[in-house]
Amino acid sequence: MKQILLAISVVTVFACSEKKAKVLSSATTSANVPAAGKSIVVYTTADTANYRLTPTDTLEFKDFGQPLETQPCVFVDPTKTFQTLLGIGGALTDASAETFAKLSREKQKEFLKAYYDPNTGIGYTLARTNIHSCDFSSGSYTYIKEGDKELASFNIDHDKQYRIPFIKDAIAAAGGKLTLYASPWSPPAFMKDNNDMLHGGRLKTEFYQSWANYYVKFIKAYEKEGIPVWGLTIQNEPMARQTWESCIYTAEEETNFLKNNLGPTLAKEGLGSRKIIVWDHNRDLLYQRASTLLNDPQAAKYAWGVGFHWYEDWSGGDQVFENVKKVSESFPDKNLIFTEGCNDKFTAARLKDWALGERYGRSMINDLNNNTVGWTDWNVLLDEKGGPNHVGNFCFAPIHADTKTGNLIYTNSYYYIGQISKFVRPGAKRIESSASRSPLLTTAFINPDGKIAVVVMNTTGKDMPFHLWMGGKAAETKSLAHSIMTMVF
């Protein structure tokens, strides 16, 4: 795997995710048979026990042999490896930056450590931000004067007030290394057929090149400010006509824009190493969009991977995790990255609702098991109303700030994400894990330092005893009702 170092951010180029299991080196293969008495440290987040990323137990492997069907197990096989993790993180939006600015410096430091410190916090390493305004901005804005096709007026002065200082603080808190990508919600109004940044509309073909140049201007302006941009998505939710900033692309339109304009323009401007993520919308149309674009060789050569969201259950159905797997199987040379998800319809009465965190756990485990290399939450911080948001589209974040009292409110989502992000680090390889009982969801990784992290989530209202089994040895433990646990050894 080729690595490229930038001034502040370490950028890892994933040539492709390892889709088929392979045998590790002899040193790792021997780890398939853990030594008897080997310690396993358990960290737990649980509803009834009031645990929050709490060290709850130390287990030991003992000789076990063949388990019976009556003995529930989580089986782990580190000799079978899959994709390499890029990182886990959340979006640094205008709303998050503006809310952050209202906190005392003491609370700002607490917030930054909570997210970005790998020891005292949950160790975020991945971030997304918006190219000019989105719904989670205080109002609509662009970086140019309306009608400026040549982009002569381009400047990012708006972002220098809140967002750029916020992103710099996050990078510093993460140790100077944060993999950042950017997404646009809409081109400027004059470039669209509805002459409106809101309510959908389409990018006019005569502005394809001007809009491609806009991405270049953004990347270069941010990097001039000392913020490296690792990559970008072509369009946030390109099939959604929203009441906020939005723009529609068919699969064919996105393909043409990528291969004829955006891809060649980035290459020409010396930005060809920046990763381009296509789709950036829900799992429902994921295969159709990916296959249309990636089956076009001229477009596919510019696409690093496919991004997706989790809002497909808007129709009343369930989340379709299987579609992620289908794209992974069909296009093993491309990467999959979760680019956005949040619990919406904010109400303060639900801030302690355990279902908020469980939605994250279920999605992260399934997406990672389907070869996703990166997982990005939506806003890292919102206020006590679930905003600011200029169209009233308020939602939940893992951490909220009560701007009246100055206090931070940690929701269950923060801890569920942390049960994975804190213990599964960039460069970790997913290894095989399998549960013998359906209510136990599991994923497992081996980190670059050789430590194995096994995550087990219990979605039921009752405790579930089980054995962590590996190479004929096992450690007896228990998954508490409505909990998520991480076993590290």
Side-chain angles (χ1 to χ4, degrees):
M1 299 244 179
K2 184 180 178 183
Q3 292 191 335
I4 301 174
L5 296 180
L6 292 179
I8 296 178
S9 176
V10 174
V11 180
T12 304
V13 179
F14 286 75
C16 68
S17 298
E18 296 178 48
K19 304 297 181 181
K20 295 183 178 180
K22 66 177 183 179
V23 177
L24 294 176
S25 66
S26 58
T28 306
T29 302
S30 64
N32 189 42
V33 184
K38 189 174 184 66
S39 293
I40 306 163
V41 182
V42 182
Y43 301 85
T44 305
T45 292
D47 185 12
T48 54
N50 201 31
Y51 293 143
R52 302 293 183 271
L53 273 169
T54 307
T56 53
D57 206 352
T58 300
L59 312 175
E60 288 186 357
F61 280 111
K62 297 179 180 179
D63 290 334
F64 195 80
Q66 173 64 53
L68 303 175
E69 290 182 323
T70 55
Q71 295 173 311
C73 288
V74 169
F75 304 106
V76 178
D77 184 357
T79 70
K80 302 298 184 290
T81 65
F82 304 90
Q83 82 273 22
T84 300
L85 187 75
L86 170 67
I88 295 170
L92 306 174
T93 59
D94 286 324
S96 295
E98 291 168 27
T99 303
F100 179 80
K102 295 177 182 178
L103 295 172
S104 68
R105 189 55 188 162
E106 180 183 357
K107 286 296 179 181
Q108 288 180 344
K109 289 178 180 177
E110 177 189 332
F111 167 86
L112 291 169
K113 286 193 174 196
Y115 269 125
Y116 299 101
D117 190 307
N119 298 312
T120 62
I122 61 174
Y124 270 11
T125 57
L126 185 62
R128 183 189 189 210
T129 197
N130 43 295
I131 297 177
H132 60 232
S133 65
C134 65
D135 50 332
F136 280 90
S137 302
S138 292
S140 293
Y141 67 91
T142 71
Y143 301 130
I144 60 172
K145 294 178 180 179
E146 186 68 6
D148 180 12
K149 178 181 179 180
E150 303 304 320
L151 313 183
S153 58
F154 190 98
N155 72 82
I156 56 170
D157 290 347
H158 174 280
D159 296 3
K160 291 178 181 179
Q161 183 177 6
Y162 296 117
R163 184 147 49 107
I164 286 175
F166 178 54
I167 293 174
K168 287 183 176 181
D169 279 348
I171 292 172
K177 304 171 185 177
L178 194 60
T179 301
L180 176 74
Y181 63 98
S183 303
W185 266 243
S186 172
F190 74 91
M191 294 187 183
K192 298 170 66 183
D193 61 6
N194 65 344
N195 293 306
D196 185 2
M197 285 183 69
L198 318 183
H199 309 108
R202 281 184 161 82
L203 177 65
K204 295 179 181 178
T205 54
E206 60 263 36
F207 291 113
Y208 270 31
Q209 188 55 49
S210 183
W211 184 228
N213 295 340
Y214 201 99
Y215 296 77
V216 170
K217 292 275 191 181
F218 174 84
I219 294 171
K220 290 186 175 181
Y222 260 59
E223 295 196 342
K224 187 177 180 181
E225 293 297 316
I227 300 175
V229 178
W230 169 85
L232 51 87
T233 75
I234 296 177
Q235 169 64 42
N236 177 72
E237 299 186 346
M239 286 303 292
R241 182 184 182 276
Q242 306 284 21
T243 58
W244 53 87
E245 288 85 343
S246 46
C247 183
I248 304 298
Y249 289 78
T250 64
E252 291 76 16
E253 288 167 339
E254 185 179 16
T255 299
N256 289 334
F257 177 64
L258 174 59
K259 72 179 181 181
N260 297 327
N261 303 96
L262 183 59
T265 299
L266 290 177
K268 179 182 177 182
E269 294 292 332
L271 300 174
S273 64
R274 304 311 185 272
K275 309 302 178 290
I276 300 176
I277 300 165
V278 304
W279 185 221
D280 195 13
H281 204 165
N282 296 329
R283 301 185 191 95
D284 48 8
L285 300 183
L286 181 61
Y287 188 83
Q288 181 266 334
R289 293 294 294 225
S291 61
T292 300
L293 192 147
L294 297 178
N295 281 326
D296 185 315
Q298 293 305 309
K301 70 180 182 181
Y302 294 114
W304 171 85
V306 185
F308 61 96
H309 300 182
W310 74 12
Y311 308 112
E312 67 270 12
D313 56 4
W314 65 267
S315 62
D318 296 324
Q319 292 175 312
V320 284
F321 301 115
E322 188 74 10
N323 288 348
V324 182
K325 180 181 180 182
K326 293 180 186 300
V327 173
S328 172
E329 290 173 338
S330 298
F331 303 97
D333 60 329
K334 298 300 180 182
N335 298 283
L336 282 153
I337 180 170
F338 182 88
T339 48
E340 185 186 316
C342 73
N343 290 297
D344 55 12
K345 304 301 180 186
F346 177 84
T347 170
R350 289 191 62 210
L351 279 169
K352 294 184 179 181
D353 186 348
W354 204 254
L356 298 178
E358 288 192 327
R359 186 178 189 188
Y360 277 86
R362 184 177 292 107
S363 179
M364 293 181 77
I365 290 171
N366 278 283
D367 291 335
L368 291 170
N369 284 345
N370 287 322
N371 290 312
T372 296
V373 303
W375 210 94
T376 328
D377 183 33
W378 189 206
N379 304 277
V380 292
L381 178 68
L382 293 173
D383 65 20
E384 70 277 5
K385 298 179 181 178
N389 184 295
H390 71 91
V391 292
N393 180 37
F394 304 120
C395 73
F396 288 93
I399 301 178
H400 285 265
D402 187 331
T403 59
K404 296 176 182 177
T405 66
N407 291 325
L408 295 174
I409 303 165
Y410 294 80
T411 72
N412 304 319
S413 303
Y414 169 82
Y415 299 102
Y416 266 77
I417 296 169
Q419 289 281 161
I420 301 176
S421 64
K422 185 178 180 69
F423 305 108
V424 180
R425 308 303 296 159
K429 289 183 182 295
R430 184 170 65 85
I431 59 177
E432 195 63 86
S433 62
S434 173
S436 66
R437 295 291 187 272
S438 61
L440 297 179
L441 306 182
T442 181
T443 192
F445 284 79
I446 183 166
N447 282 290
D449 65 0
K451 287 186 178 179
I452 291 174
V454 182
V455 180
V456 176
M457 177 177 164
N458 180 357
T459 60
T460 74
K462 64 179 182 179
D463 296 351
M464 297 193 66
F466 70 94
H467 287 85
L468 177 65
W469 189 99
M470 192 169 79
K473 290 180 169 49
E476 188 174 4
T477 186
K478 178 171 61 177
S479 178
L480 298 176
H482 292 293
S483 75
I484 183 169
M485 63 193 295
T486 309
M487 293 165 283
V488 181
F489 57 96

